[in-house]
Each structure stands twice: as C-alpha cells, then as structure tokens.
Amino acid sequence: MLVQAQLCWIAIKPFDARAPGQLLKRGCSQKEGDSVSSSFEEFIQREADYLAWVTRHPDGFVLNTERKPRAAYMLLHTATCTTVTQYKRDAREDAFTGHGYIKICSTDLNSLLAWMARYGAPSFSGLCRKCQPDVSSIVDHVADQEAFLDAEVCKWLADPLNLQQQLTEVPREPPSFYYAQTKVFKRNPVVVAAVLLRARGFCEQCQAFAPFLRATNNEPYLEVHHKVRLVDGGIDHPDNALALCPNCHRETHFG
C-alpha cells in the first residue's frame, strides 16, 4: 500500500499527440494567467553542447532518458554527477547524448516535470543514488500552493455577496490540469491490518461504529492514521497509528 506524502503541482500546455516523437532543442511553456513557467534544453547527439551546459550550470539538473522516451525510465541526476559527465573506459564518443540516450537539462525541476508529462510520466522514475539530487524545492512549492488555496477559500467564505457575483464569471468548461511529482512511503500492510483488527470496526477517536462497509471485503470501513506523520519522521507501527472513521480522520488533519 502506498501513501502519498508530498505533491508538486505544475501547469502545462496540452501535448500534441500527433507528433509524439518530435523533440525540440529548446523549449518553454507557460499557460496564460499561470505563475509557473518552464524552460529546458534537450541534447540529442549534441555531446559537446551538453558537456558545455553542465559545466555552465553546476546547480542544474539532468534528466536521463531514452531516444524514444518512456515513463518507466526518467532518471534524475545533478549536473555535477560523474555518472552523466565523465566517460567510462572505452565509452563511445556519443555516450551521453547518442547511442540511444538523450539528456534534458534545466535549472528548474518543474520544467523537467513538464517535459516528462508529454510522455505520460507524472514523476521521476528514480533519483540517482550516487549524486542524490535534492528535490525539496518541489515539496516547498506544493505547500505554498495548498496554503494559497486555503487562504483564498477562507476569503470567499467571508464574503458571500461577492462570491455570488464571482460565480457568474466561472467558466463552464473543464479546468486546466496539473501533473505531480510525488513522494510516497511504502506502507506495511501488516501494520494496517493489525490496527483495523484492534479497532474491531469502531473508530478509536469517537468510538462510533464504521459508517459503511468496505466494498472490497465487506469489512467495516476505517482509515489508519499515523499520530506522528511519516513525513515528519513517524514510524509505521501500530503504536503510532489509530483506526479512524472518515470524519474523525479529516478532523485530525483539518479541524
């Protein structure tokens, strides 16, 4: 079982599916009215240009993928990582940007996510274990976005008259969409099962019986909540968990 811990939201323009193999040397996308823009540079059989870029941008990032990009292989490196900057013995002269591989470079992680979204990749397939790129800026960005949304909702709740006027300007069309870079924790199903068995169908906060039965196994539906969040260093153990009804679970997070 996987639990989502952090998200980074970025707005991108729709991708033209009629030309899935088209790659540009340089790219930029920005949706009108959005504050997030993206810029990147692609290196395809441009070895000297690529090595010059990583030299000029030691604080940048390098996305390593295949000539025909696949969502399953989108590996992130830092621009100083020797894995993608120093040739191994007997390496081909086009080892980095040829021989089936390409590099997409940017100083902005959101730009790389926007590029990857064209190929159905919502997140990096992995982070290089050698250089361990820092993606904390993505986490900070989503926290800011969630705080902004919450503040805006509170503002409109406090001004119902103007809210009614604003509703007349809401377009009747699908909203713009976002892709996310997601950090997940590998939850232990044994812990979840143990907490649910301990609760015996009763919420461990309000003591009420579960509000409905789970469709998959007809058992009382409760949600396992960590007292100390995993993202804050909490342990995935029954001692740090409660079985809560959905109302109590939401109250714990937002009440």
Side-chain angles (χ1 to χ4, degrees):
M1 181 182 296
L2 296 180
V3 171
Q4 181 173 298
Q6 303 287 357
L7 290 176
C8 164
W9 302 102
I10 56 173
I12 66 169
K13 288 185 176 181
F15 173 57
D16 185 357
R18 294 171 297 181
Q22 183 179 6
L23 296 177
L24 303 178
K25 290 185 178 180
R26 287 182 174 83
C28 178
S29 69
Q30 182 172 18
K31 191 177 187 299
E32 184 176 356
D34 289 337
S35 60
V36 178
S37 62
S38 60
S39 60
F40 50 82
E41 186 160 1
E42 298 177 359
F43 296 94
I44 306 172
Q45 294 183 330
R46 299 168 55 210
E47 206 80 355
D49 292 341
Y50 165 68
L51 293 174
W53 190 95
V54 294
T55 299
R56 293 195 309 270
H57 302 88
D59 59 341
F61 297 93
V62 174
L63 178 67
N64 187 41
T65 189
E66 298 167 341
R67 182 67 178 268
K68 294 183 178 180
R70 296 183 300 117
Y73 185 67
M74 299 280 181
L75 186 61
L76 184 68
H77 300 262
T78 64
T80 57
C81 181
T82 57
T83 304
V84 291
T85 59
Q86 294 183 11
Y87 293 111
K88 295 181 180 179
R89 181 180 300 178
D90 300 326
R92 292 175 47 149
E93 62 180 9
D94 62 346
F96 294 131
T97 65
H99 197 48
Y101 291 96
I102 63 175
K103 300 292 187 290
I104 298 83
C105 300
S106 180
T107 57
D108 175 33
L109 290 171
N110 291 332
S111 298
L112 296 180
L113 289 170
W115 185 92
M116 291 160 46
R118 301 177 175 190
Y119 302 96
S123 63
F124 302 115
S125 63
L127 306 178
C128 174
R129 294 182 179 180
K130 186 171 185 178
C131 65
Q132 300 182 344
D134 180 9
V135 296
S136 60
S137 60
I138 292 179
V139 175
D140 292 340
H141 178 74
V142 68
D144 292 342
Q145 291 296 315
E146 291 178 346
F148 174 77
L149 176 62
D150 187 60
E152 287 294 293
V153 169
C154 291
K155 181 186 75 174
W156 288 113
L157 287 173
D159 193 3
L161 294 180
N162 284 334
L163 173 61
Q164 292 301 317
Q165 175 62 33
Q166 188 69 20
L167 279 174
T168 63
E169 302 178 15
V170 175
R172 294 182 179 274
E173 59 185 30
S176 58
F177 60 91
Y178 300 84
Y179 285 89
Q181 164 70 14
T182 308
K183 178 181 180 180
V184 297
F185 291 96
K186 293 182 178 180
R187 295 283 303 280
N188 190 334
V190 173
V191 173
V192 176
V195 173
L196 293 176
L197 285 174
R198 183 183 68 198
R200 301 179 64 182
F202 290 88
C203 173
E204 293 186 303
Q205 183 158 298
C206 70
Q207 307 304 316
F209 193 72
F212 57 88
L213 300 181
R214 187 185 298 270
T216 54
N217 59 6
N218 211 37
E219 292 291 326
Y221 181 85
L222 295 172
E223 299 172 352
V224 175
H225 164 76
H226 289 91
K227 303 173 189 176
V228 179
R229 300 185 308 167
L230 299 181
V231 71
D232 293 330
I235 59 174
D236 191 23
H237 189 277
D239 291 346
N240 186 45
L242 293 172
L244 302 179
C245 67
N247 278 347
C248 285
H249 197 186
R250 294 302 93 191
E251 180 185 21
T252 300
H253 284 284
F254 304 108

